[in-house]
Amino acid sequence: MPGAGGADGDGSAAGAGGAGAAGDHIHPRQPTAPYFDAVLAYGLRGSGRFHVPGHKGGSGADPALRHALGDRALALDVPQDIHGIDLGTSPTPYEQAEALAAEAHGAARTFFLTNGATQGNHALMLALAPLGTRVVCQRNSHASIVDGLVLSGGLPTFVHPEVDDALGMAHGVTPDGLRAALTATPDAAAAFVVSPTYYGMCADIAGLAEVAHAAGVPLVVDQSWGPHFGFHPDVPASALQLDADAVLTSTHKIAGSLTQSAMLHLSASGRVDAEAVARAMRLVRSTSPSSLLMASLDAARRQLAVHGEALLHETLAVVDRTRTKLAATAGLRVLGPELVGRPGIAAWDPLRIVLDVRETGRSGYDVAEALRGAYDGNVELATAATIVLVVGLAESAVALDRVAGDLDETVGRIARHGDARGPVVRPPAAPPSETVVPPREAFLGPAEQVPIADAIGRVSCESIAGYPPGIPALLPGERVTAPVVAYLQAILAGGARLHGASDPQLQTIHVLRT
């Protein structure tokens, strides 16, 4: 299967200034979905299927699976290398689909990802941080960044985000913070940052790009939580519009594609070698990518490019009404635009409803559990101090009205007013741990599982982050210290979860064998 779209249906290059991201026009082909249409045509026309998958378009599938998914979904589950879909005269429907996605997002080249933004981070690390190469990474980056370093053998220098001590929320990296990290790492080959955060807070990407480019390195932005950025004037601009060189967008999180599907966009700057990324992509891509996932990306791109602004306009109006209702609930504080301007926050995404619950006298875990138990309402994230609701591109007004009422009833029932909770447990002062060996050597080296008390002074083979605030307290190759263990135990006792720990209760940990 071709690695990326490089030309649209009439053979012209898919360059910057896309239909949605640039907002200037809609290309005549944006209302089409060439890959989706080609899969649909093959799947439903009754072709002889003497190839994988073995369910043969559904006839060989378990009857319960057929009933649950429907014959149409199974009929569209086709392999790669089907003539007229991803084989044949170039540009094939697959190439056209990636090219249209590049145009819509204002990219020079776009890759469809069927293993989430994780796949893109792995490929970028392999391309930009090969064995022994040093890169600067935001400390609270997604776990796939560290996993990518394990795969590539790259060496990280970490730059810490700004942190709200009271709420335990990690925000973005500041340009000054990135400048200091790059100055301390003159041989860095790239800078990796996150924007927006889980909470919808955006870093100063334009300022970060200026700093990175002045240091001679590309800026890579994990914009997984902002696939809709740039498609409406009241949501933040896309990082591509703000001069980032590579941008990841998890289309499935907000913009309507199927779970596990995402996109990687490269700018026209040339600071990231598209062919090197395509080569690395082949290492981290299945030889049996899901046509359902890729077709959903093609269709989601079409909807975002053609109808995204209108859908967002309607959704934002409902979100504003919901925020007003929630603000009237005693004990809840609705967070958002008032935080813009604080260190690490240059913009805010209104498709994230973030609620400070401390004045209820209960934790975010308590509120989320009570909401789920009474109303089967499930939030995206609960922390000691907050809960986070993620809103989709075309969110149901009925659903938002309902959850506002359900939260009002829930808080009224469980609140302990007058017993406001204090600040959350703060991570140890940076740097939290001493890096002893490269992440790759630690992760792949000889390991043993030991009681946590016996791990002090040993080298961790694990990556462990506590939520909140989501900043890894320990990474492969770092020395386990008493303050780090005490911090992880304290947040665990407070109801937080430990991401990445082989033992979620932190009774044991894997360390390098001595």
Side-chain angles (χ1 to χ4, degrees):
M1 181 173 292
D8 64 18
D10 60 8
S12 60
D24 294 332
H25 67 284
I26 295 178
H27 188 279
R29 295 212 66 218
Q30 285 296 332
T32 69
Y35 181 82
F36 175 85
D37 289 343
V39 169
L40 188 68
Y42 183 80
L44 301 183
R45 71 175 180 241
S47 301
R49 297 185 182 222
F50 302 100
H51 53 66
V52 297
H55 63 67
K56 301 299 181 178
S59 61
D62 175 77
L65 181 66
R66 293 181 64 181
H67 182 73
L69 297 185
D71 285 341
R72 289 184 182 178
L74 292 167
L76 301 184
D77 183 24
V78 301
Q80 72 173 70
D81 295 342
I82 295 295
H83 207 84
I85 298 178
D86 44 31
L87 286 183
T89 304
S90 184
T92 65
Y94 182 83
E95 291 172 325
Q96 295 173 45
E98 284 193 334
L100 285 169
E103 180 190 77
H105 287 271
R109 190 167 185 180
T110 287
F111 298 83
F112 281 3
L113 308 175
T114 55
N115 194 31
T118 291
Q119 182 183 350
N121 274 329
H122 290 172
L124 286 167
M125 278 299 175
L126 288 164
L128 296 174
L131 193 63
T133 302
R134 190 165 289 278
V135 290
V136 170
C137 304
Q138 186 166 327
R139 178 74 191 193
N140 62 322
S141 295
H142 190 266
S144 57
I145 286 289
V146 176
D147 296 343
L149 289 168
V150 169
L151 293 173
S152 74
L155 305 174
T157 293
F158 291 107
V159 54
H160 285 258
E162 299 298 314
V163 177
D164 184 314
D165 286 336
L167 291 167
M169 290 168 57
H171 301 315
V173 167
T174 64
D176 285 344
L178 181 61
R179 184 179 295 108
L182 287 169
T183 299
T185 316
D187 56 344
F192 290 76
V193 300
V194 178
S195 181
T197 67
Y198 224 143
Y199 303 93
M201 307 303 165
C202 303
D204 177 6
I205 296 300
L208 293 170
E210 183 177 358
V211 168
H213 298 162
V217 302
L219 180 71
V220 178
V221 179
D222 185 341
Q223 191 182 288
S224 291
W225 286 102
H228 56 297
F229 281 12
F231 287 89
H232 190 282
D234 292 334
V235 301
S238 166
L240 282 171
Q241 294 172 290
L242 300 174
D243 214 16
D245 301 291
V247 177
L248 287 154
T249 57
S250 287
T251 316
H252 73 95
K253 292 186 186 299
I254 305 286
S257 65
L258 296 180
T259 295
Q260 201 174 308
S261 58
M263 299 186 193
L264 167 59
H265 312 286
L266 304 184
S267 79
S269 70
R271 295 185 183 93
V272 176
D273 184 344
E275 293 309 315
V277 173
R279 180 170 173 266
M281 194 70 73
R282 288 192 284 273
L283 291 178
V284 293
R285 168 185 277 159
S286 168
T287 56
S288 303
S290 169
S291 60
L292 296 174
L293 296 182
M294 293 186 293
S296 78
L297 284 171
D298 195 20
R301 179 274 314 157
R302 172 171 61 185
Q303 175 169 258
L304 190 59
V306 178
H307 303 298
E309 184 170 2
L311 292 171
L312 284 167
H313 180 77
E314 296 168 1
T315 298
L316 291 173
V318 179
V319 169
D320 187 62
R321 186 174 74 222
T322 303
R323 289 171 55 84
T324 299
K325 288 183 178 181
L326 289 168
T329 297
L332 294 183
R333 186 163 70 97
V334 186
L335 305 177
E338 75 283 355
L339 299 181
V340 176
R342 295 186 183 184
I345 305 177
W348 161 75
D349 178 16
L351 293 197
R352 221 65 44 81
I353 300 177
V354 183
L355 303 175
D356 176 357
V357 304
R358 289 175 298 162
E359 292 183 7
T360 66
R362 307 300 293 260
S363 71
Y365 310 116
D366 296 333
V367 175
E369 178 61 31
L371 178 69
R372 181 169 54 251
Y375 298 106
D376 198 18
N378 300 277
V379 302
E380 173 64 31
L381 176 69
T383 73
T386 66
I387 60 173
V388 181
L389 286 69
V390 171
V391 179
L393 175 69
E395 190 66 67
S396 163
V398 172
L400 283 174
D401 286 341
R402 179 182 297 134
V403 77
D406 291 348
L407 276 167
D408 183 73
E409 293 284 344
T410 298
V411 169
R413 176 167 51 85
I414 71 170
R416 297 170 180 165
H417 295 298
D419 187 24
R421 299 172 65 89
V424 300
V425 180
R426 180 159 173 60
S433 300
E434 174 193 0
T435 299
V436 182
V437 299
R440 179 182 177 86
E441 292 182 25
F443 188 88
L444 298 178
E448 59 181 332
Q449 190 172 19
V450 301
I452 191 65
D454 296 341
I456 305 299
R458 303 284 295 275
V459 177
S460 173
C461 297
E462 300 188 23
S463 175
I464 304 178
Y467 283 84
I471 300 174
L474 196 60
L475 292 171
E478 293 183 339
R479 196 175 298 282
V480 181
T481 66
V484 166
V485 171
Y487 161 68
L488 290 172
Q489 290 174 330
I491 63 172
L492 191 62
R497 62 186 176 89
L498 299 184
H499 177 79
S502 61
D503 178 358
Q505 299 307 311
L506 205 66
Q507 300 298 308
T508 62
I509 187 174
H510 285 86
V511 296
L512 276 180
R513 186 178 294 124
T514 55

